[in-house]
Amino acid sequence: MTSGTAPDADHLRDAFTSYFSERGHAPVPSASLIPHDPTVLFTIAGMVPFKPFFVGEETAPWPRATSVQKCFRTLDIDIVGTTQRHCTFFEMLGNFSFGDYFKELAIPYAWELVTDVLGIDGDRLWVTVHDSDDEAEAIWRDVVGVPASRIQRMGDDNFWKMADTGPCGPCSELYFDKGDAYGEPGGPAHGGSERFVEIWNLVFMQYNRRDATTLEPLPSPSIDTGAGLERILPVVQGVDSIFATDLFAPMIETAQSMTGLTYGVDERTDVGLRILADHGRAMAMLVADGVLPANEGRGYVLRRIIRRAVRRGRQFGVDGPLTPRLVDTAVATLGAAYPELAENHRLVTEVTTREEEGFLRTLANGTAILEEQLATGVVTIPGDVAFRLHDTFGFPVELTVEMAGESGVTVDLAGFEAAMEIQRTQARRATRSGATLPGEGTYRSILDAEGPTRFVGQRMDGYSSPARVLAVIEDGDHPGQAEVFLDRTPFYAESGGQLGDTGSIVTETGTALVFDTVPVAGGLSAHRARLTGTLAVGQDALATIDAARRDALRRNHTGTHLLHAALRTVLGDHVRQQGSLVAPDRLRFDFSHHAPVAPEELTAVVAMANTEVLSDAGVTVEETSKAEAEAMGALAFFGDKYGDRVRVVRAGPRSVELCGGTHVDALGMIGPIAVVTESSIGSNTRRIEAVTGQGALERITAREGLLTEAASLLRTEPEHVPESIERLVERQRTLEKALAAAKSKELQAESAAVAAMAAEGVVVARRDGLEPDQLRELAQGARRSGGLRAVVIGGSPDGSKVAVAVACDPGQGPGPWADAGALVKRVAPLVGGGGGGSPELALAGGKDPSGIDRALDEARAVLARG
């Protein structure tokens, strides 16, 4: 790579991984942008997928690894576009040592790759180290040969952490000096930020931060390096901006094409074009990895990215759809490196387009209110206004801040937060609080003394087991109740959506009737029970679960897996589990999907799941390493925590998932699967509720009973019920039309009678018993038949509501009869309501029948003054 044409992104990725593969590093594919680690929202660095290895929770399958990892950082969203180097989605080149080598190899590796392989001039490279890291400085100076004058210490800037807790350690960074034209000299510590650009960070992972004050040494000091692909690429391609590289240039071209603007002419428009380029890449990669727009969490970040891009496009005069073209270019640029992006091209386009269309409606409503505020000349948008924009119109507060800032106006964020906190407090009051539980310290002492509870209830015959009582913790809030801890148990502790088991624990001196089983302290099973007699620590016990209930749980849990697999087959691989409930009487499965499930799609899903049941294929459970499970195609889900050894549940030919729950031995044991409901529970999130086995049979029997009853009432056979109902509905429509026609004739006759009551071309009268539409027809008919100036008729259809109809002829000259809408608005408050309409015809509604006569008197007075 040191000669010939400048390398593109594909060549740079290959050069990096090849260099380390040749030095014994296992090449590891990129993990998803959705991490398994619950402490971070996105995969923010190359080391995130390897965190369990660094903290000693799992044993790494390899001593060394290298990867090109997809990453996303939210901190840079507001900075993007204002600099030449910041982006939200980026790729991190990394090499990792899990207790194998440390600084003595990591530093020379980095220098050799950058200078010899990539051909970057070593005289333009600067090095920074942590204040305390004499060892790293010595290696750079004495082994690599970097002059001491180009090695600087930068304090906390050279101490890396993934989050407030977790792996961390001192780091050493490589910076490239772009030259005098880009800023002041002085190195990264003192020079211009646009001149000295960080291209590689070597983290010497030595500690695990428990809290703000506690650093614990890691079991084996390790290496985590991260070299930003987007940062190195401009250097090796000889350009001064990431936006001039082959990763971003096509996105800039698309942004220019859509907006008609030219990049490089005006810095203000350049910022917007860079935002479109970055956000187009980011939205495509996030959706391809399973993130869908939502009002919280990852989905909210995606929604914000899409909306910032759409709004910027509208500012630049883009009238048509914007996101599809950005997505197309992102796929063309990144699809070869990340095939999942190309495979999900259509889905990504559908999701982003749908969000764009929805936001345009939100933008129109919110912008009007915000512009009203700005037009008053305020210097600060009140917090309650920002809250109303957010709560009523779905206008993100970040967008309010951004739009207000463009007019030199600030937003009262403290007031906004106060309004949000009031809303949160009201929500908390509406939520039922749970019972107080013993402290974590008590659980921890049991775990430290006895070790984790051994679960022995996976087998179909694992309903009962001998055990030893380890502890009994009485519940001070509920006399007679306690948490019982055993050395082993057949009771499944609630996890992965499956409810905990119930049953009994019996000793020679007492019985615990278990009503729930829950996991505590990361390894113990707490049996929550009502006690009769006493249970003593050290006693032998017989633990027995409710077998019928467990069997029902097994059926529903395996049924959930079948439905999940069927949903992914019918709707697409973008379907991902968002939550579940496995109860004995039902199952609930929440999943990501951008549209309602069509009836024919749901029918196909249910048919596919039941076909699997009829096959009676065996359900196999295999314990293996996480890496091997992923190679098998087993589905894992963000937020779920997996150890080094995982359980892979295979249910039929389509379903392979990581799961610790209990399952049937063969699919035929599930019995029929019946979906009860399919609905939306949030933006891009759907929910299926279903029953299996006996519950499904009872549902089928009940529905057959209803069908038989309906057939009896219709005096037909069950198979002919639909056509009988169609005939009945058609007959009802015919009768309703005939009734409406007869009523219309009556109203026509009554219209003539009403017109005959006119005095000076005006009628004001009361008529009860008519619906609002009929009252309006009567008023209009009377005015026309008598050539009147105005007709006002008021009344109550049912004694509780009010309707007032006004018909006018504006053509008969100026006066109150010239505008029916104005007249109806005048009288509507007198009946406790409101109304409106055209100058010719208007209608008001109200809730106060006692005001009808007052309203009519007011109408008479107004018309008399005409």
Side-chain angles (χ1 to χ4, degrees), residues 730-782:
E730 184 58 36
R731 190 182 311 154
Q732 182 176 346
R733 288 197 193 102
T734 302
L735 291 173
E736 287 175 348
K737 288 180 181 178
L739 182 61
K743 192 66 178 178
S744 181
K745 286 183 179 180
E746 289 181 12
L747 289 175
Q748 288 175 9
E750 189 173 351
S751 295
V754 170
M757 299 165 55
E760 298 183 0
V762 172
V763 173
V764 179
R766 177 163 183 165
R767 171 67 158 89
D768 294 318
L770 294 181
E771 293 298 321
D773 287 348
Q774 295 171 334
L775 206 66
R776 181 169 54 192
E777 184 179 349
L778 177 61
Q780 190 175 35

Side-chain angles (χ1 to χ4, degrees), residues 578-640:
Q578 300 296 305
S580 67
L581 170 69
V582 178
D585 58 337
R586 70 192 189 284
L587 66 89
R588 187 180 71 215
F589 184 74
D590 301 339
F591 59 97
S592 56
H593 188 53
H594 54 279
V597 180
E600 61 272 17
E601 291 174 327
L602 191 59
T603 298
V605 167
V606 175
M608 189 174 293
N610 279 298
T611 298
E612 300 290 354
V613 171
L614 290 173
S615 75
D616 197 28
V619 176
T620 62
V621 178
E622 177 182 354
E623 186 173 296
T624 183
S625 69
K626 188 164 67 175
E628 290 171 348
E630 290 172 350
M632 295 164 58
L635 295 177
F637 306 100
F638 68 84
D640 287 354

Side-chain angles (χ1 to χ4, degrees), residues 26 109 212 291 296 344 354 364 401 497 541 548 675 679 683 752 778:
Y109 278 162
V291 182
E296 60 185 6
N344 289 304
R354 193 180 178 94
V401 170
V675 170
S679 61
S683 179
L778 177 61

